[in-house]
Amino acid sequence: ANVARMLLKQHCDVEVLMTQNATQFINPITFESLTGHKCLVDTFDRNFQYSVEHVALAKRADVVLVAPASANVIGKIANGIADDMLTTTIMACKCKKIVAPAMNTNMFENPIVQDNLKVLEHYNYEVISPAVGYLACGDTGAGKMPEPELLLEYILREIAREKDMKGLHVLVTAGPTQESVDPVRYITNHSTGKMGYAIAKVCMQRGADVTLVTGPTSIEKPHFVNVVPITTAREMFEEVTGRAEEQDIIIKAAAVADYRPRYVSDEKVKKKDDDLALEMERTDDILAYLGAHKTKDQFLCGFSMETENMLENSRKKLKKKNLDMIIANSLKMEGAGFGGNTNVVTVITEDFEKELGKLTKEETADRILDQILAQRDKKMILAIDIGNTNIVLGCIDGDKTLFVERLSTVRTKTELEYAIDIKNVLDIYHIHRDEIEGGIISSVVPQITTIVKLAVEKILKKNVLVVGAGIKTGLNIRIDN
Ligand code: CTP
């Protein structure tokens, strides 16, 4: 009932099915008043809206959770038995199915139950490990139903967000680092890790494979994320750079110490009557290292917290550390900064700047990821304009013009000559043909259009769109004259 309540809060449409046995523990009316739907128990109840209700329900569902799943229901599903509303519906369901076994420890450990769970996993059911603790029967061990919050996390992972990051490997850093002075003291900052944790969670819900390298924080670790705890800047450097190569996207939200005490005392430093000066040394700049060793197609996003000249300073960091994006926020802005649940950030790339306004950290994470995906998906297009005296060649990448060049046109050339000319220009700008998504030609010189079209197609190995092909070229696309 708690899971149903939490799902309703998230605006989900919840239908509850019960086995006959379950109705001994909780009255179906509880669910009916909660969800506003009839709680279905018997397949042959003539009061149902549809004669084949189990099939209609199965088609409508985005995800199914069986909780608590008894040894009996697990055994039935695993062996293809469908003899009531719950088991018939599950058999007709094509969506993701999640099972949360809950029973006496001895029953749970029974090899037959374990075999049945393996069968379910084999058929892509997700089996949630039961919690360990004091059970209703008086025994202590594995078999407890997990907390409703955890069950909710499993469901939200499936349905909360579109899976537009499926297949991407993302590394996120979060939280502060701690740099020891002696066994008792350390130097740190006010970072709570909230922003980085929100990013890791949203990436996970959008389908990415997420690693979170985190400094010490007091917030709950996100589920379904590979969490790597670290303490010092040095440890973060090792853990991040060791995993960097396989990442498609790296987002560095951590507040890494720029300095650490040069000497760490083995014993507690005792106070004296006069002042104390700590000698500090620089830590490695992890982000700068990543920028210098960026792999092809890897997207690198840093954070920048400023108290003055936010945009200017952040732009400098973007360039200096060779980043694709930097997320700037100002400590002076209301609703931004450490600890709070909201943030006000500006997304900055080389040719783009956008303030996102005051949003929750989770909303901010979503919007940042939208921007990252949009930037990653930029499409390079080669455009050629054939005029009577000039051939002009240009390349755009999303909203950015990479170059515009004029080709020598003293005479009409052969297809091969044009191909070599165009290839030479691409080489000058280090653009490989695989990076180019398509070509487009606009021409007023019919005689040359086909030759250039063939030349470009030879280079790109893709069809080229011709617009304004001039008169009588025989080409079938003609948008203007
Ligand atoms: N960062 C890092 N390694 C460090 C220091 C910072 O990776 N040793 C990263 C942070 O995770 C963040 C970004 O760099 O993404 C912040 O840039 P930084 O230049 O350190 O910002 P500030 O420390 O605020 O810079 P400054 O002292 O120049 O204001």
Side-chain angles (χ1 to χ4, degrees):
N2 277 337
V3 177
R5 202 171 287 123
M6 288 191 283
L7 285 169
L8 288 158
K9 253 194 178 163
Q10 306 272 342
H11 311 289
C12 296
D13 189 10
V14 184
E15 302 256 9
V16 180
L17 306 181
M18 295 178 86
T19 59
Q20 201 73 52
N21 288 343
T23 60
Q24 308 289 324
F25 292 93
I26 184 162
N27 193 320
I29 296 171
T30 310
F31 290 117
E32 291 179 357
S33 53
L34 254 178
T35 64
H37 294 296
K38 185 167 170 50
C39 181
L40 306 171
V41 181
D42 180 358
T43 330
F44 301 106
D45 183 339
R46 292 289 154 224
N47 293 327
F48 287 173
Q49 236 170 321
Y50 310 103
S51 53
V52 278
E53 181 70 13
H54 62 284
V55 178
L57 250 184
K59 278 190 189 154
R60 273 209 306 277
D62 296 310
V63 63
V64 172
L65 169 72
V66 187
S70 63
N72 185 44
V73 91
I74 290 167
K76 279 198 207 172
I77 302 171
N79 291 284
I81 297 169
D83 64 351
D84 59 9
M85 193 64 201
L86 178 76
T87 45
T88 47
T89 308
I90 287 195
M91 198 174 269
C93 266
K94 286 193 150 176
C95 65
K96 174 85 176 196
K97 289 164 286 257
I98 306 170
V99 173
M103 63 197 79
N104 165 275
T105 304
N106 292 340
M107 287 173 78
F108 179 69
E109 285 168 359
N110 184 308
I112 300 176
V113 174
Q114 287 299 320
D115 279 354
N116 284 338
L117 288 172
K118 282 196 197 98
V119 171
L120 292 187
E121 281 178 332
H122 172 75
Y123 289 107
N124 279 331
Y125 283 63
E126 173 121 34
V127 176
I128 306 180
S129 301
V132 178
Y134 182 74
L135 305 170
C137 53
D139 286 356
T140 302
K144 246 171 106 81
M145 182 137 104
E147 291 301 320
E149 288 76 13
L150 180 61
L151 299 181
L152 180 74
E153 290 295 331
Y154 272 88
I155 293 178
L156 291 183
R157 172 166 62 153
E158 292 307 316
I159 59 171
R161 288 179 162 85
E162 250 185 74
K163 304 288 174 259
D164 55 358
M165 294 182 74
K166 202 168 168 52
L168 292 179
H169 290 85
V170 183
L171 188 146
V172 183
T173 68
T177 61
Q178 292 176 352
E179 310 299 330
S180 284
V181 175
D182 67 13
V184 182
R185 296 130 176 149
Y186 56 79
I187 292 171
T188 190
N189 56 64
H190 291 298
S191 170
T192 57
K194 279 188 185 172
M195 193 61 239
Y197 278 47
I199 293 173
K201 178 180 165 182
V202 172
C203 286
M204 174 277 291
Q205 288 187 341
R206 288 171 78 151
D209 193 331
V210 187
T211 303
L212 173 67
V213 180
T214 170
T217 68
S218 59
I219 47 179
E220 205 196 321
K221 309 275 172 276
H223 297 284
F224 319 118
V225 162
N226 174 25
V227 179
V228 182
I230 55 92
T231 307
T232 63
R234 185 70 224 169
E235 286 166 8
M236 182 170 277
F237 181 90
E238 298 294 340
E239 299 294 351
V240 170
T241 55
R243 289 174 170 81
E245 214 176 283
E246 65 255 33
Q247 307 300 329
D248 299 299
I249 301 171
I250 301 180
I251 305 172
K252 284 223 75 240
V256 189
D258 290 325
Y259 294 91
R260 68 175 151 242
R262 185 179 296 279
Y263 308 104
V264 182
S265 169
D266 289 338
E267 307 298 337
K268 185 181 166 203
V269 178
K270 300 299 285 177
K271 65 176 164 300
K272 306 210 173 80
D273 286 341
D274 47 357
D275 295 342
L276 172 79
L278 265 183
E279 198 181 332
M280 305 285 276
E281 64 180 8
R282 279 293 301 267
T283 58
D284 296 306
D285 191 322
I286 307 165
L287 198 51
Y289 179 93
L290 295 174
H293 296 84
K294 199 155 54 169
T295 61
K296 191 176 173 303
D297 293 335
Q298 189 174 64
F299 194 95
L300 195 52
C301 172
F303 268 70
S304 163
M305 181 174 267
E306 299 288 345
T307 53
E308 53 191 355
N309 302 330
M310 178 184 85
L311 295 175
E312 198 189 317
N313 287 342
S314 302
R315 279 210 169 277
K316 272 190 205 149
K317 284 181 206 171
L318 180 83
K319 218 173 170 66
K320 191 168 159 211
K321 300 193 189 191
N322 189 28
L323 310 180
D324 299 291
M325 183 181 283
I326 194 154
I327 310 299
N329 61 8
S330 164
L331 258 192
K332 299 237 168 100
M333 192 93 87
E334 151 150 24
F338 295 124
N341 290 324
T342 60
N343 211 347
V344 187
V345 305
T346 303
V347 177
I348 304 172
T349 67
E350 198 188 333
D351 48 9
F352 175 91
E353 198 171 288
K354 187 172 186 181
E355 200 201 289
L356 298 185
K358 186 171 159 184
L359 299 169
T360 65
K361 287 191 172 166
E362 213 165 283
E363 287 164 343
T364 305
D366 252 322
R367 300 285 299 279
I368 291 172
L369 293 168
D370 289 346
Q371 294 295 341
I372 291 179
L373 295 192
Q375 294 285 325
R376 266 178 51 92
D377 282 353
K378 271 187 174 177
K379 301 254 186 285
M380 253 193 228
I381 302 286
L382 183 68
I384 298 177
D385 178 53
I386 306 174
N388 280 313
T389 47
N390 284 312
I391 293 183
V392 178
L393 183 70
C395 197
I396 53 163
D397 189 2
D399 45 10
K400 185 168 154 190
T401 303
L402 300 179
F403 69 80
V404 178
E405 288 284 347
R406 191 173 306 229
L407 293 186
S408 126
T409 47
V410 272
R411 61 178 170 83
T412 301
K413 299 184 184 175
T414 64
E415 180 190 319
L416 184 64
E417 284 173 320
Y418 280 126
I420 292 170
D421 279 358
I422 297 167
K423 173 86 171 47
N424 283 342
V425 175
L426 294 178
D427 284 348
I428 292 171
Y429 291 94
H430 306 289
I431 295 170
H432 190 267
R433 67 158 180 244
D434 290 346
E435 293 176 277
I436 299 176
E437 297 292 324
I440 184 164
I441 298 176
S442 133
S443 167
V444 291
V445 191
Q447 312 83 283
I448 312 183
T449 314
T450 314
I451 306 173
V452 175
K453 180 177 188 284
L454 291 171
V456 179
E457 285 177 346
K458 187 169 247 146
I459 297 169
L460 299 188
K461 302 222 179 315
K462 288 182 185 93
N463 282 334
V464 167
L465 172 70
V466 179
V467 293
I471 306 153
K472 293 184 195 152
T473 54
L475 292 163
N476 57 4
I477 302 159
R478 212 184 111 202
I479 293 175
D480 69 14
N481 192 25

